[in-house]
Amino acid sequence: MRTDEKALACGSLLFSSMPAKEAEAILSNARVIEFDRGQTIFLQGEVAKAVYIVMDGWVKLYRIAPSGAEAVVGVFTKGRSFGEAVAFRGDVYPVSAEAVTNCSLMRIEAEDYLRQIRTSPEAAISLLSATFAHLHSLVAQVEALKARTGAQRVAEFLCELSNCENGRCEVILPYDKVLIAGRLGMKPESLSRAFSKLRNEGVTIHQNRAKIDDIKHLRIFSEEDPANAWAKP
């Protein structure tokens, strides 16, 4: 494992509050695996034996409904971990994971982490922190679905991708629009309509780039009362 890979893992929520000695013990057996775009990492229903940290690229977690429809549960990128809660219980994965782009993932065997939890309270705290972050993210997704219009959800997504605080900026859409729609709880055609509505808010989409006239204005739009947003043309 390279030094930069270890540093990235230690900066993740899974290890950030853990003493260096304990983190080193867990990571000593970890390995970095390369996945091609579209490659399956694990399938819903498989026994969970490992936790993953994204080193580079994007990964989606999704469920397949009885009807065959795909529901995107989350999309993760560099520095984010997934699979903790079920792996440490020896349960099955409730979702499938797939590489959205070519990506590198660090695989950590659950037993290596559990061994440290049995002797180190700090390891348990790190696990709880990561689990809480995932729960908070899911709650935020539910809130967005219930309380924001499609255009507002897309606006928030674009703001999250931006490093700008004020003024004009341009962001690159990190993955295809079908997945963006799934991530935001929308159908592709609804996403297209949302992009059209955002023209009035100064957003222009061209292929995989979004040009934003005023990122501060877009951020305000994403957070305003949905009753006002619904009233806009």
Side-chain angles (χ1 to χ4, degrees):
M1 187 188 307
R2 301 196 311 262
T3 302
D4 61 325
E5 292 172 336
K6 186 175 293 186
L8 181 60
C10 289
S12 70
L13 280 173
L14 198 55
F15 290 97
S16 59
S17 61
M18 191 184 301
K21 183 179 178 181
E22 281 82 352
E24 180 69 32
I26 296 172
L27 293 173
S28 62
N29 292 325
R31 56 197 175 101
V32 176
I33 306 173
E34 303 291 328
F35 290 87
D36 295 330
R37 178 181 179 181
Q39 188 173 352
T40 296
I41 299 161
F42 56 73
L43 289 172
Q44 180 178 332
E46 283 185 9
V47 176
K49 296 182 179 179
V51 180
Y52 296 87
I53 300 175
V54 183
M55 298 285 103
D56 193 32
W58 291 82
V59 172
K60 73 171 178 179
L61 303 185
Y62 65 96
R63 286 180 61 87
I64 300 297
S67 64
E70 178 182 296
V72 178
V73 176
V75 183
F76 299 87
T77 191
K78 193 172 184 177
R80 297 288 304 278
S81 60
F82 58 94
E84 301 95 337
V86 290
F88 297 135
R89 291 174 52 205
D91 207 339
V92 298
Y93 291 117
V95 296
S96 297
E98 180 183 302
V100 175
T101 65
N102 293 343
C103 62
S104 301
L105 304 181
M106 180 179 290
R107 178 185 166 104
I108 302 167
E109 300 303 322
E111 187 53 43
D112 291 335
Y113 202 108
L114 284 170
R115 194 177 298 115
Q116 289 300 316
I117 286 179
R118 295 184 184 106
T119 59
S120 170
E122 288 82 2
I125 291 170
S126 290
L127 171 59
L128 288 172
S129 296
T131 303
F132 172 79
H134 290 315
L135 177 60
H136 182 76
S137 176
L138 287 173
V139 170
Q141 286 184 48
V142 172
E143 179 186 8
L145 288 170
K146 296 284 188 180
R148 295 188 182 181
T149 67
Q152 284 182 297
R153 277 178 266 158
V154 176
E156 181 182 38
F157 175 74
L158 294 176
C159 289
E160 289 174 352
L161 292 176
S162 171
N163 294 321
C164 305
E165 291 296 327
N166 297 286
R168 289 176 175 271
C169 68
E170 181 175 288
V171 299
I172 297 176
L173 303 180
Y175 37 84
D176 67 63
K177 293 175 183 177
V178 173
L179 180 54
I180 292 172
R183 165 66 180 79
L184 298 177
M186 307 167 70
K187 294 184 180 298
E189 55 270 26
S190 300
L191 179 65
S192 296
R193 288 194 293 271
F195 279 143
S196 296
K197 289 182 179 179
L198 288 179
R199 290 175 190 158
N200 295 331
E201 309 303 329
V203 177
T204 304
I205 305 294
H206 181 65
Q207 295 182 342
N208 69 331
R209 293 179 182 272
K211 293 183 178 180
I212 303 167
D213 289 344
D214 186 341
I215 189 67
K216 186 175 181 180
H217 168 79
L218 190 65
R219 194 172 287 114
I220 292 171
F221 168 77
S222 73
E223 296 173 352
E224 74 178 3
D225 187 332
N228 296 330
W230 280 112
K232 292 189 176 184

